[in-house]
């Protein structure tokens, strides 16, 4: 027997029956993002590996374990993008976007790749809806970006998600926090899990969101409430909280929220949904005020987030049906002559911008009507002997059940009126 080839582990096909929901989410996302003044950017799916190492940090889990490098000699030094921020910042610098506007508001929708151990909600190829606002550091910009992420999720018909925020403070504050953490955790180092013992040296922040029971117990005893923040960072963070309150966005301040990518400073946030199980983050983001400069660009602040599309779908969005995606016309024909007329008419309808479908084999009227119903057609055109003689068709409106004879020469005009 011939061996079947299946999709690589941690990837999945998005089948035609699933695509409607994906498209509805993407259509709603674009509308909301553009209402907030964001413009779409499409960056390459692979970049120089060094871009990710420099952006996400040598010690981050993504760089340590999850970068998927292209393997052939010619492509040496290239990797599939594990996230979108690094590529967008690279493009911002490369195209001198700072000279065109003082704030670049950019969004992207597309696949990301991480060499993860696959499980529910954790894939090797997944999709982000992401946003980057590059050009300034203003607390109310953080608020707007967080509000946008919340409104996107609401726009997809999701409820019951939770927003957590925290401030990592300035790079100096962040350094103080890591010193404080090492200081506090030192005595318990032998009780930490294997991974966290390594993280202690490499990236002590990651210990704070370790899922291991023993580590959680040790971490829960730490008092982290603002210990590391300087006065200026405290003021910045209180303005962010004030803005969220102003917009009536509920949130919880979690001093344990540190995020796994190195570029963050000041505000960080995460939105979770309990229906998702252990991989419960629907999306996350934060401020990264040093990254643009560290990659050779101007010294400007930036803030962004990414939502995971697969996890949004797992959380059960209830999005309004988009009529523009629905089949407009199904043609039902009786006999060979009528079939040819229908075939020609379907072509005319399609070239005049309407969607039309018909059976490709002769079948009873009953089974053709059943198919029209299954395809959720809005209108059905019926062509039989009488219609051929009269150079007309019978047009049935599937939502009201009413039907009328229409002359073929007026048909497209009548249909366009009915559909608008
Ligand atoms: P991230 O937290 O790594 O952030 O990813 C954002 C979201 O992508 C997660 O909350 C999750 O919903 C989804 N996600 C991440 N990894 C996977 C996976 N293996 N399988 C399925 N879904 C996944 C970032 O990537 C940052 N670039 C966000 C950002 C933009 N920060 C500032 N600007």
């Amino acid at each position: 027997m011939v061996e079947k080839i299946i999709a690589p582990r941690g990837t999945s096909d998005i089948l035609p029956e699933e695509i409607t929901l994906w498209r509805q989410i993407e259509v709603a996302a674009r509308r909301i993002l553009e209402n907030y003044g964001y413009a779409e950017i499409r960056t390459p799916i692979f970049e120089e590996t060094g871009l990710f190492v420099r952006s996400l940090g040598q010690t981050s889990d993504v760089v340590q374990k999850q970068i998927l490098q292209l393997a052939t000699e010619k492509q040496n030094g290239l990797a599939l993008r594990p996230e979108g921020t690094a590529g967008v910042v690279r493009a911002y610098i490369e195209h001198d976007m700072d000279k065109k506007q003082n704030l670049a508001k950019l969004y992207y929708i597309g696949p990301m790749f991480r060499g993860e151990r696959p499980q529910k909600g954790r894939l090797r190829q997944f999709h982000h809806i992401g946003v980057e606002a590059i050009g300034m550091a203003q607390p109310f910009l953080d608020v707007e970006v967080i509000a946008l992420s919340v409104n996107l999720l609401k726009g997809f018909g999701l409820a019951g998600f939770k927003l957590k925020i925290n401030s990592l403070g300035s790079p100096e504050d962040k350094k103080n926090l890591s010193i404080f953490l090492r200081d506090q955790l030192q005595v318990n180092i032998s009780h930490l899990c294997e991974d966290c013992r390594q993280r202690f040296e490499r990236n002590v922040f990651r210990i704070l969101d370790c899922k291991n029971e023993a580590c959680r117990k040790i971490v829960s005893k730490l008092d982290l409430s603002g210990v590391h923040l300087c006065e200026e960072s405290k003021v910045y963070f209180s303005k962010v909280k004030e803005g969220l309150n102003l917009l009536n966005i509920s949130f919880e301040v979690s001093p344990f929220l540190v995020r796994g990518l190195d570029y963050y400073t000041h505000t960080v946030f995460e939105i979770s949904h309990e229906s998702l199980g252990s991989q419960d983050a629907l999306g996350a983001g934060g401020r990264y005020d040093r990254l643009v400069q560290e990659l050779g660009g101007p010294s400007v602040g930036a803030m962004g987030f990414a939502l995971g599309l697969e996890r949004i779908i797992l959380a059960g969005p209830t999005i309004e049906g988009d009529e523009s995606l629905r089949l407009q016309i199904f043609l039902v024909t009786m006999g060979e002559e009528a079939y040819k007329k229908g075939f020609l008419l379907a072509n005319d309808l399609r070239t005049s911008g309407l969607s039309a479908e018909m059976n490709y084999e002769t079948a009873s009227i009953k089974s053709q009507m059943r198919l029209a119903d299954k395809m959720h057609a809005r209108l059905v055109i019926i062509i039989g002997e009488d219609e051929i003689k009269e150079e007309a068709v019978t047009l049935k409106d599937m939502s009201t059940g009413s039907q009328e004879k229409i002359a073929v020469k007026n048909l497209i005009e009548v249909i366009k009126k009915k559909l608008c």
Side-chain angles (χ1 to χ4, degrees), residues 328 354 378-379 413-420:
Q328 292 171 315
L354 297 162
R378 292 175 66 187
L379 301 171
E413 199 186 325
V414 171
I415 289 179
K416 283 195 170 165
K417 257 194 208 137
K418 269 192 181 298
L419 290 174
C420 70

Side-chain angles (χ1 to χ4, degrees), residues 74-91:
K74 268 201 195 134
Q75 295 154 341
N76 204 4
L78 298 176
L80 294 175
R81 61 182 189 191
E83 56 100 60
T85 313
V88 171
V89 171
R90 196 249 330 116

Side-chain angles (χ1 to χ4, degrees), residues 61-249:
D61 283 357
V62 175
V63 168
Q64 286 279 317
K65 304 187 210 150
Q66 298 164 358
I67 293 277
L68 291 171
Q69 302 239 37
L70 303 187
T72 67
E73 211 173 295
K74 268 201 195 134
Q75 295 154 341
N76 204 4
L78 298 176
L80 294 175
R81 61 182 189 191
E83 56 100 60
T85 313
V88 171
V89 171
R90 196 249 330 116
Y92 173 89
I93 298 167
E94 189 172 333
H95 301 284
D96 291 325
M97 290 192 205
D98 60 307
K99 307 221 165 63
K100 296 174 200 151
Q101 70 249 73
N102 60 359
L103 180 65
K105 293 167 81 173
L106 305 165
Y107 81 85
Y108 47 92
I109 302 179
M112 305 293 157
F113 306 85
R114 294 185 192 176
E116 307 248 30
R117 203 157 14 93
Q119 64 180 83
K120 183 183 163 208
R122 191 160 80 182
L123 296 153
R124 288 184 172 164
Q125 176 177 332
F126 57 97
H127 295 76
H128 268 171
I129 298 177
V131 152
E132 313 297 344
I134 311 174
M136 58 178 74
Q138 285 296 336
F140 271 44
L141 178 61
D142 301 20
V143 174
E144 190 186 271
V145 167
I146 297 174
L148 170 56
S149 68
V150 167
N151 286 336
L152 279 166
L153 295 174
K154 283 189 185 158
F156 307 150
L158 286 177
F161 50 82
K162 286 205 175 82
L163 167 66
K164 277 189 192 158
I165 65 166
N166 189 23
S167 173
L168 300 174
S170 65
E172 195 56 35
D173 296 338
K174 230 176 131 177
K175 212 178 287 159
N176 289 339
L177 179 60
S178 70
I179 294 169
F180 175 84
L181 286 174
R182 285 209 184 88
D183 213 47
Q184 297 287 308
L185 292 167
Q186 182 75 51
V187 282
N188 280 314
I189 196 159
S190 58
H191 303 294
L192 294 172
C193 74
E194 175 69 40
D195 273 355
C196 282
R197 282 204 290 273
Q198 283 182 23
R199 286 172 181 149
F200 185 85
E201 290 306 331
R202 230 179 46 209
N203 191 344
V204 69
F205 298 121
R206 301 305 295 159
I207 299 177
L208 297 187
D209 51 22
C210 179
K211 300 268 189 300
N212 180 292
E213 208 38 60
C215 302
R216 284 173 87 135
K217 218 165 158 189
I218 294 167
V219 162
S220 68
K221 297 209 176 96
L222 297 171
D223 178 12
L224 296 178
S225 39
V227 280
H228 59 295
L229 295 180
C230 69
E231 224 23 66
E232 213 178 308
S233 302
K234 277 186 188 155
V235 170
Y236 190 99
F237 192 41
S238 40
K239 285 190 182 151
V240 173
K241 290 183 274 187
E242 184 194 330
L244 289 172
N245 285 326
L246 184 70
L247 299 187
N248 260 326
I249 294 175

